[in-house]
Amino acid sequence: MSKKTAQRRPKPKRNELTRKTPPWGGIIFFTCIGLIAVAAIGYAAWQARPVDTAGIDGLVETENLSRNHTPAAVSYPTNPPMGGDHDSQWQNCDGRVYDQALRNENAVHSLEHGAVWITYRPGLPAGQLDQLRDTVEKTDYTMLSPVPNQDSPVTLTAWGKQLKLQDAGDQRVSDFLRAFVKGPQTPEPGAACTGGKATP
């Protein structure tokens, strides 16, 4: 074969059927799985984060609260209660404002789900009540209701945690919500705050 003939030989054509391309479907799938795993680990770490409650002056804490379901009325040692045996149906706590007292046994179930229950003594000045309403309506996993016989104008309660305040404008309202709305004290993290009891 002459040098001239070798130069004229056409280059072999690329076979489109056997040409290798990156497996984009697999790459996208495993990237999504990785992102979901990172998000899940991050959420679990956030849930388990240590909460600095030292700055919440006046915080009362209790442990080893029972969690049995009962249809009966429960005699709680605190008013409002901080936990203990409760009704099988929770009180809706999706930023819900109630204008009447709640049944304790339903509200305690909401605390078990990670809710913060803000209560006020009837007669609280209108401006303070409006402030509490605004805070609750903007914050998921909270509920607001009056408690006729409570011994402080405003009380914030989470499962095993309670703070009594003289004024709704106290900075500790925000501190308590940041620490305990779906906080590490929650016995049933991820449980719903809707689909329960919608009326007082």
Side-chain angles (χ1 to χ4, degrees):
M1 182 185 300
S2 70
K3 199 171 184 183
K4 202 170 187 182
T5 306
Q7 288 175 350
R8 286 184 192 164
R9 179 173 290 174
K11 292 183 180 178
K13 291 185 178 177
R14 299 172 84 183
N15 186 339
E16 293 297 323
L17 296 176
T18 59
R19 192 173 76 173
K20 292 187 178 180
T21 59
W24 291 114
I27 290 170
I28 291 169
F29 174 77
F30 286 109
T31 299
C32 289
I33 294 296
L35 290 172
I36 291 168
V38 167
I41 291 167
Y43 178 75
W46 181 79
Q47 283 289 99
R49 74 200 184 285
V51 176
D52 180 17
T53 57
I56 305 179
D57 188 41
L59 179 68
V60 174
E61 302 181 77
T62 187
E63 296 180 352
N64 302 318
L65 294 162
S66 60
R67 295 174 50 202
N68 302 312
H69 286 179
T70 176
V74 179
S75 178
Y76 294 103
T78 63
N79 183 40
M82 302 163 66
D85 293 348
H86 51 270
D87 196 277
S88 60
Q89 186 178 42
W90 59 89
Q91 191 74 39
N92 285 344
C93 47
D94 50 337
R96 193 69 62 104
V97 173
Y98 298 95
D99 59 3
Q100 296 175 42
L102 302 178
R103 184 169 179 263
N104 285 335
E105 292 78 7
N106 300 105
V108 167
H109 195 155
S110 301
L111 302 183
E112 187 181 40
H113 288 191
V116 167
W117 183 16
I118 302 179
T119 56
Y120 61 93
R121 191 167 57 204
L124 187 72
Q128 292 192 46
L129 184 53
D130 287 344
Q131 193 170 3
L132 292 177
R133 280 193 184 113
D134 185 56
T135 296
V136 166
E137 287 172 349
K138 292 189 301 190
T139 311
D140 201 15
Y141 279 76
T142 61
M143 54 189 175
L144 173 69
S145 72
V147 171
N149 301 316
Q150 75 176 28
D151 58 7
S152 60
V154 177
T155 302
L156 285 83
T157 307
W159 185 271
K161 317 287 179 185
Q162 194 165 76
L163 180 65
K164 296 175 185 268
L165 300 173
Q166 296 302 308
D167 193 295
D170 195 305
Q171 173 58 40
R172 289 174 291 173
V173 172
S174 296
D175 295 341
F176 192 96
L177 292 173
R178 274 197 302 270
F180 300 120
V181 168
K182 296 191 285 186
Q185 85 291 341
T186 304
E188 292 185 4
C193 240
T194 57
K197 188 179 180 189
T199 57

